[in-house]
Amino acid sequence: MTDRLTPADWIAHGLDTLARRGPNALKVGAMAAGLHVSRGSFYWHFRDIGDFRDRLLKAWLDEATEQVIARIDAAPAGPGRLKALLRSAFVTRPGLADSGRAFAAEAAIRAWAVEDPAVAAMVAAVDERRISYICGELAAAGLDSRTALGRATFLYWAFLGEARAMNARDGAVDAAAIDDIAALFVR
């Protein structure tokens, strides 16, 4: 790796480190060694480890939530968007650069949230944003707001549980099965 890393390089390495080794591994010296650069490279881009962790969490929010929402919003309105959203969550594994890292990072961040109130607040905000978006898509498909919220919450729980199960097995859910499930939620 070059001496001239960008903040994005550090964040990507931080997400990989977090996914593989947990939040206690987010140490400047160890990450610099893993990138084959000096600690000064880190401090060129970040005030301190707290600044880095905040930006790492914001990158997770952006990549694993906001970019996914933007891709779905780019599709024409209608029932196909719910299918696209569910396929995105359960079949194609978008978001962080590598789907394995995406799920491992998601699990690591949620485990970290148990111990760190600031991380817990970010996870709660992400959960609220995701559920709200799913709810909006269900309402756009014709469900009343109360029904949409209940179904959105259930779908989100399924996503969290399926993501956890992916750590224990290979393969994503079949696209046709996801399309069948999407149809169940808008009837």
Side-chain angles (χ1 to χ4, degrees):
M1 204 153 267
T2 178
D3 294 353
R4 301 206 173 209
L5 296 176
T6 66
D9 294 327
W10 278 97
I11 295 295
H13 183 66
L15 286 167
D16 286 338
T17 299
L18 178 66
R20 283 185 280 108
R21 299 180 35 226
N24 291 333
L26 296 176
K27 309 271 190 222
V28 176
M31 288 190 299
L35 289 168
H36 309 292
V37 297
S38 72
R39 294 166 54 101
S41 173
F42 176 89
Y43 290 108
W44 181 257
H45 301 294
F46 306 98
R47 285 187 315 274
D48 55 29
I49 195 69
D51 178 40
F52 173 76
R53 289 177 179 186
D54 288 345
R55 289 169 64 183
L56 179 133
L57 289 170
K58 287 177 183 152
W60 168 67
L61 164 66
D62 181 59
E63 292 179 23
T65 301
E66 297 307 328
Q67 289 180 23
V68 172
I69 289 171
R71 277 194 302 276
I72 301 303
D73 281 347
R81 280 178 42 163
L82 180 62
K83 284 182 183 179
L85 177 61
L86 293 181
R87 281 180 174 214
S88 177
F90 295 103
V91 180
T92 59
R93 310 278 189 234
L96 302 170
D98 163 76
S99 64
R101 184 183 81 184
F103 284 98
E106 179 95 19
I109 289 169
R110 289 181 179 282
W112 187 12
V114 172
E115 300 173 10
D116 187 315
V119 178
M122 176 62 86
V123 168
V126 165
D127 290 346
E128 183 177 329
R129 172 75 170 118
R130 291 172 176 176
I131 291 170
S132 175
Y133 184 78
I134 298 165
C135 186
E137 288 302 313
L138 289 168
L143 298 179
D144 65 85
S145 60
R146 183 170 175 238
T147 302
L149 179 58
R151 291 182 184 185
T153 302
F154 183 85
L155 284 169
Y156 189 62
W157 291 344
F159 165 73
L160 292 176
E162 202 268 345
R164 190 149 174 89
M166 284 302 296
N167 292 332
R169 65 177 176 83
D170 281 338
V173 177
D174 177 73
I178 291 301
D179 292 349
D180 288 344
I181 291 167
L184 290 172
F185 278 84
V186 292
R187 284 188 183 145

